[in-house]
Amino acid sequence: MKMPAKRVLIFDSGVGGLSVYEQIININSNIECRYLFDNAYFPYGELPREKLVTRITQLLTDFTKQYPADLIVIACNSASTIALDDLRSHFSIPIVGVVPAIKPATFITKNNVIGLLATPGTVERAYTSTLIEQFAAGKKVLRIGSTKLVTLAEDKLMGKVVKQEEFNKILAPWSSAELKDIPDTLVLGCTHFPLLKEEIAACFTKPIQLVDSGEAIALRVRQLLANSLISNEKGEFKQPLLHQAFYTKAFTNLTHLSALQKSFMTYGFESLSFFDC
Ligand code: DGL
């Protein structure tokens, strides 16, 4: 007996959610992904709480009316650390959020110095401070909030040249050899940053552990969808069927749009189109 594919909506302000999507499709089959990014309100890491919650609630309500979903992944730390409770009380389907992987980092660090690299919003949130207090007592957790790094990830996927000096400048507070406390483990607390792993690692002279929440999110999605996954007679799960991506603000630069469309195709999307909202 064939079961219809489950519809998973992955949401972010930009391309960052692709790092989560990648992990989700690695271990979940028989799912159809729709990826929605809100470039009209990008960057989320600089928006105040009220504005963010109102916008996301409205946008996801409109989108799911047109494209119903069985599960929503808020693939954005800046939004998850502030809007999850509101979203969960508004929608009746399961909502999975992404928060900085502080706890796993505490098991990895050897020198007990952890760097949290996130958006300005995420590094300042009470939610983040609570995570640190709860899980990283006795460790030193340094924080850098950077929107520039988010835009560098956007640029990279739009085919623009990204220079290593830009990364070196942002990471300089943690990479100088004279520093006493150099983190040996970085928490990539923004979903855009796993798309820049090589560039971030290249800022350091010593090997550095980079930790993100992508795999944990994928496992949570699998757990929530478990009842509806069905294997074929060989015991294999069906392959994913159709993935589509949408943006909320029309691109004025068509070269950038076309480069981005190519990037989305390489991630396995059939289309990248405008969602009018
Ligand atoms: N990808 C997002 C995050 O995880 C946000 C980037 C932004 O729009 O500031 O925080």
Side-chain angles (χ1 to χ4, degrees):
M1 186 189 54
K2 263 196 197 166
M3 284 284 283
K6 286 281 151 182
R7 300 155 301 181
V8 176
L9 169 58
I10 300 169
F11 175 70
D12 186 26
S13 60
V15 298
L18 286 174
S19 67
V20 178
Y21 155 86
E22 213 175 6
Q23 301 284 337
I24 291 174
I25 59 157
N26 258 347
I27 62 163
N28 289 281
S29 304
N30 204 24
I31 59 169
E32 259 176 27
C33 293
R34 293 215 167 88
Y35 185 102
L36 172 65
F37 67 89
D38 191 14
N39 57 331
Y41 278 63
F42 173 91
Y44 272 13
E46 296 194 354
L47 292 187
R49 181 185 184 281
E50 282 312 316
K51 194 166 180 181
L52 208 48
V53 172
T54 310
R55 167 65 177 174
I56 300 173
T57 310
Q58 189 58 54
L59 176 56
L60 293 182
T61 304
D62 292 350
F63 189 82
T64 50
K65 251 183 221 152
Q66 209 167 318
Y67 301 101
D70 299 301
L71 181 147
I72 301 176
V73 179
I74 306 296
C76 174
N77 293 260
S78 309
S80 297
T81 48
I82 213 156
L84 274 184
D85 289 345
D86 291 88
L87 292 171
R88 285 187 176 131
S89 57
H90 187 85
F91 292 93
S92 55
I93 54 173
I95 303 214
V96 180
V98 182
V99 299
I102 300 287
K103 191 178 174 188
T106 63
F107 300 121
I108 295 170
T109 180
K110 295 219 162 53
N111 71 352
N112 290 329
V113 184
I114 295 169
L116 168 62
L117 194 55
T119 62
T122 299
V123 294
E124 279 165 18
R125 300 249 198 275
Y127 189 104
T128 306
S129 299
T130 308
L131 269 185
I132 294 171
E133 277 156 31
Q134 260 183 346
F135 298 114
K139 316 276 179 207
K140 188 157 197 166
V141 181
L142 309 172
R143 310 181 199 197
I144 290 180
S146 170
T147 296
K148 177 71 189 163
L149 212 45
V150 180
T151 56
L152 284 169
E154 295 286 324
D155 289 351
K156 186 176 173 181
L157 271 82
M158 269 181 224
K160 297 189 205 168
V161 178
V162 292
K163 293 199 182 123
Q164 184 60 40
E165 301 120 66
E166 302 272 15
F167 297 90
N168 296 347
K169 239 188 270 166
I170 297 166
L171 273 301
W174 293 345
S175 57
S176 150
E178 288 108 63
L179 283 176
K180 193 162 66 72
D181 291 322
I182 297 186
D184 67 352
T185 306
L186 293 197
V187 176
L188 304 181
C190 168
T191 54
H192 279 71
F193 300 166
L195 305 173
L196 302 168
K197 270 186 179 163
E198 289 78 25
E199 294 86 347
I200 292 170
C203 297
F204 296 85
T205 47
K206 288 194 187 147
I208 185 129
Q209 297 288 331
L210 303 178
V211 192
D212 65 68
S213 309
E215 197 185 345
I217 300 312
L219 287 166
R220 181 71 185 135
V221 169
R222 186 165 75 177
Q223 194 183 36
L224 288 167
L225 294 179
N227 297 339
S228 46
L229 284 176
I230 199 106
S231 62
N232 63 17
E233 51 298 342
K234 284 193 206 139
E236 297 159 335
F237 288 119
K238 261 166 50 60
Q239 286 305 302
L241 306 172
L242 169 76
H243 303 314
Q244 298 172 313
F246 301 86
Y247 51 90
T248 55
K249 182 182 165 196
F251 283 78
T252 44
N253 185 323
L254 296 182
T255 312
H256 292 160
L257 174 61
S258 129
L260 201 56
Q261 273 165 335
K262 272 198 199 116
S263 294
F264 272 83
M265 303 300 127
T266 62
Y267 277 88
F269 286 87
E270 295 212 341
S271 58
L272 171 64
S273 40
F274 178 56
F275 177 70
D276 201 355
C277 54

